[in-house]
Amino acid sequence: MMKKMAIQLVFIIVIIAYLIYHNFNLQNINGVIITIMIGLWVLATVMMVTLDRSKRS
């Protein structure tokens, strides 16, 4: 469980760090990079949930 929380935390820290780098100015943020980061985050979360469910059954 702790490993899953750490992975989620890393994604959140990376996204926040990217926003801080651009001073939270949403006009300067590259939408492609943000979309890829959020997509990877969602993919990792879905994979963790799927693995968890497959181990239980």
Side-chain angles (χ1 to χ4, degrees), residues 2-49:
M2 209 55 205
K3 197 161 109 178
K4 292 177 186 175
M5 293 298 288
I7 292 169
Q8 294 289 314
L9 203 60
V10 166
F11 276 109
I12 293 169
I13 289 170
V14 166
I15 291 170
I16 290 174
Y18 186 73
L19 289 171
I20 289 171
Y21 179 73
H22 286 288
N23 296 323
F24 294 98
N25 187 356
L26 297 176
Q27 281 78 32
N28 288 348
I29 289 176
N30 190 343
V32 176
I33 294 173
I34 282 288
T35 305
I36 290 171
M37 283 194 288
I38 292 174
L40 286 172
W41 182 20
V42 169
L43 185 67
T45 306
V46 168
M47 286 178 70
M48 280 190 274
V49 170

